[in-house]
Amino acid sequence: MSSFTRRSIDIETAIKAAQAAAAHAASLNLRMSIAVCDEAGILKHFHRMDGASQLSVSISQDKAYTSAVTGMATHAWFEFIKNDPPLLHGIVHTPRLTVFGGGFPIREEGIVVGAIGLSGGHYSQDMDCAQQALVAIGASVP
């Protein structure tokens, strides 16, 4: 028998990332939902700012999930599929896959240990706030 070890984001780092994202969103007068998940895409920490829309709850979680299980930022997905008709018209029907910005994998020494997903602004604002969270926890910003 053999086994392997997986790395995963800890709760303190997940909370720190969400707090940094929320602080940046508040500075922009935005109300967001912020999801941080582990390397398997399982929700680790969730923060819904006062006034964040109900719709943003599931979108933020799906962005984090997409980035964790694929190792790709959500905005990179559209570039990846846009010129490939079978992929463009097929993969977008995959449950929880999100192909617009706001989700980023969180890596430690090149290994995905979690992901963050934000929703509540334009996707470019979601990306900006997520990137501020990555900076706050010392993760690489793609």
Side-chain angles (χ1 to χ4, degrees), residues 27-105:
S27 77
L28 300 173
N29 202 30
L30 297 170
R31 303 292 170 244
M32 298 206 172
S33 289
I34 304 155
V36 180
C37 64
D38 68 12
E39 79 290 346
I42 299 169
L43 188 63
K44 183 84 172 193
H45 179 72
F46 182 76
H47 181 97
R48 181 175 176 223
M49 296 173 70
D50 291 340
S53 76
Q54 178 64 29
L55 184 60
S56 71
V57 171
S58 61
I59 293 172
S60 66
Q61 292 178 27
D62 289 349
K63 287 179 182 183
Y65 172 83
T66 296
S67 290
V69 301
T70 67
M72 289 175 60
T74 55
H75 68 277
W77 268 98
F78 182 73
E79 287 299 316
F80 183 69
I81 66 174
K82 73 178 182 180
N83 295 319
D84 187 336
L87 208 51
L88 177 63
H89 298 290
I91 202 161
V92 295
H93 299 288
T94 303
R96 302 196 68 189
L97 179 73
T98 306
V99 298
F100 50 92
F104 290 91

Side-chain angles (χ1 to χ4, degrees), residues 13-14 21 41 43 51 65-66 68 70 82 106 115-116 127-128 131 135 141:
T13 305
L43 188 63
Y65 172 83
T66 296
T70 67
K82 73 178 182 180
I106 299 170
I116 188 166
M127 290 172 65
D128 179 38
Q131 289 169 326
V135 168
V141 180

